[in-house]
Amino acid sequence: MSESLDSGPPPQAPTTALRQRLAELRGPAAQPHPLDARALAALAANPGCKRRALLDGAGVDKAALASALGSPAAFGQSQFAFMRGNAFEARVKADGGTELMRLLGVDAPAEVRVPDLSAAGPEGRAARTALALREATAAGAQDGVWTLLDHPLLALEVAGSHAYLEPDAVVVHPDGRWTVVEIKSFPMIDASADAAKVGAAARQAAVYVLALERVAALTEGAEVAHSVLLVCPKDFSNLPTGSVVDVRKQLSVTRRQLARLTRIEDIAAALPEGTTFDLERPAEELTAAVESVSAAYAPECLAACELAFHCRDRARESGAVEALGRGVRGELGGLTTIGDVLAAARGAAGDPDDPAVAALRRAAALRAEALEAAGCR
């Protein structure tokens, strides 16, 4: 990308030509699937996957596409968990944000404003949010009031396309600091929560911080806090408890990885003429369309991408070493298929001066010695 992700004006709408091209890729009857912070965090974790970048940028419903390809996604939030999460979030924000202020360490704030952020369309809501942030910063400096923005909408340009992101809340402090609030329904037991879930929440919050920095750059006296407030149920109750999570590491990684993404229009321009991901097309055509865009599969995709099972099947069919994990792929250097790896280990192929080949042959020799010693050969 030619523009830094952490400075500059808010993103502009894509050109008419790009908007039309993305609509053609989705199909004439398909509405764009929103690109949220969770998807951006997953995309930042795998910036080499042009397939996901294009599908997310075009707003293709990847879950529906995976089902049409015969490899439906096996993960998602149940309706019960969704309702429980909404009820817990409502409790955290009740009484004008009194409980949320307490979790921030403010027991009796002089005043907490909760501005109305409603507006027409995502562009209007994002503009209204930016205005509310500027007004709240000015009011805090002048009157010492706190402001709670409930489900603000933030805009972020990614790979030439734009995404609208909706954090659970943003709190504007009287001193001009903006703090992202992430409300999750997984429990915090004895002041500790599941590390994997906390990590996922931190990566998601880092995307919000990144989007806020663009608005703060144009707001006098504003500063985005690099620590977010994670709110979860306490122990086995429904009482909220909070923990401050430093997301500077996640922010740095996300900024760098998103900047590495190939621009959406460049990926679309390289597609064969007539390529479309219209779900009304036959499965054979959809498969060909998906395979026309290169992917970067890794086992970690299974927890983050709806197309992971399809990509895993293709990786296994081709014998790609990526199916074994990014760590293994990095150790094998120029050996790109499992067949190449086995041939190198047996001494049938490969450069003996290649450290990867030498390590494989040494491992194969040690295995043979161990099997012989155990009487298995």
Side-chain angles (χ1 to χ4, degrees):
M1 296 175 62
S2 59
E3 183 180 279
S4 172
L5 281 165
D6 60 349
S7 63
Q12 302 298 315
T15 64
T16 302
L18 177 58
R19 190 188 295 270
Q20 180 178 351
R21 178 63 175 133
L22 297 182
E24 292 172 353
L25 290 174
R26 284 193 305 271
Q31 293 298 316
H33 198 69
L35 180 60
D36 58 17
R38 184 174 299 177
L40 279 181
L43 188 58
N46 191 8
C49 188
K50 294 182 179 181
R51 181 175 297 171
R52 173 153 197 168
L54 179 64
L55 293 174
D56 281 347
V60 176
D61 186 343
K62 297 195 300 300
L65 179 59
S67 296
L69 294 173
S71 302
F75 63 88
Q77 191 176 43
S78 69
Q79 187 66 23
F80 173 75
F82 184 74
M83 294 174 61
R84 182 182 62 186
N86 283 345
F88 178 68
E89 181 177 336
R91 177 166 188 167
V92 172
K93 296 177 181 177
D95 300 325
T98 301
E99 182 67 15
L100 186 53
M101 290 298 107
R102 183 188 67 79
L103 295 175
L104 280 170
V106 184
D107 292 326
E111 182 182 357
V112 179
R113 295 180 179 178
V114 185
D116 181 10
L117 301 179
S118 59
E123 294 90 348
R125 285 189 59 202
R128 179 68 188 93
T129 294
L131 177 60
L133 285 166
R134 288 192 286 270
E135 291 175 343
T137 303
Q142 181 176 349
D143 303 324
V145 300
W146 294 75
T147 301
L148 170 63
L149 274 65
D150 187 4
H151 284 285
L153 198 67
L154 308 171
L156 182 66
E157 184 179 353
V158 180
S161 185
H162 63 281
Y164 291 100
L165 315 171
E166 189 174 358
D168 293 325
V170 172
V171 174
V172 179
H173 301 240
D175 61 3
R177 282 183 298 132
W178 300 352
T179 297
V180 171
V181 179
E182 270 291 279
I183 303 174
K184 297 297 184 182
S185 59
F186 57 81
M188 193 174 294
I189 301 173
D190 292 333
S192 179
D194 183 273
K197 293 180 179 179
V198 172
R203 290 189 293 272
Q204 184 175 338
V207 177
Y208 298 137
V209 172
L210 192 60
L212 275 175
E213 286 183 340
R214 300 183 68 92
V215 185
L218 303 175
T219 305
E220 183 178 357
E223 178 186 2
V224 184
H226 290 167
S227 294
V228 304
L229 178 66
L230 176 63
V231 181
C232 300
K234 182 178 181 181
D235 297 327
F236 300 100
S237 70
N238 200 37
L239 297 175
T241 186
S243 177
V244 176
V245 180
D246 191 330
V247 297
R248 283 178 293 182
K249 179 180 178 180
Q250 291 84 353
L251 179 63
S252 176
V253 171
T254 300
R255 182 186 289 114
R256 182 175 66 253
Q257 298 292 63
L258 290 181
R260 290 176 53 197
L261 290 174
T262 305
R263 296 183 68 86
I264 299 299
E265 57 264 41
D266 296 336
I267 302 174
L271 296 177
E273 186 176 355
T275 298
T276 179
F277 305 104
D278 186 354
L279 298 177
E280 300 298 324
R281 296 296 182 92
E284 296 79 8
E285 290 187 25
L286 285 175
T287 300
V290 169
E291 294 304 313
S292 68
V293 191
S294 64
Y297 171 76
E300 294 84 351
C301 296
L302 294 172
C305 182
E306 294 86 346
L307 283 177
F309 290 98
H310 173 83
C311 296
R312 182 184 65 177
D313 291 344
R314 292 297 183 270
R316 287 176 173 177
E317 288 174 6
S318 63
V321 296
E322 286 83 356
L324 303 177
R326 292 194 182 101
V328 175
R329 175 67 188 90
E331 292 291 337
L332 293 175
L335 302 174
T336 58
T337 69
I338 294 175
D340 292 340
V341 172
L342 294 176
R346 290 192 297 262
D351 182 359
D353 293 330
D354 185 337
V357 174
L360 286 168
R361 293 181 181 176
R362 176 60 178 161
L366 291 173
R367 177 179 181 274
E369 290 178 10
L371 290 174
E372 184 176 358
C376 297
R377 295 184 62 181

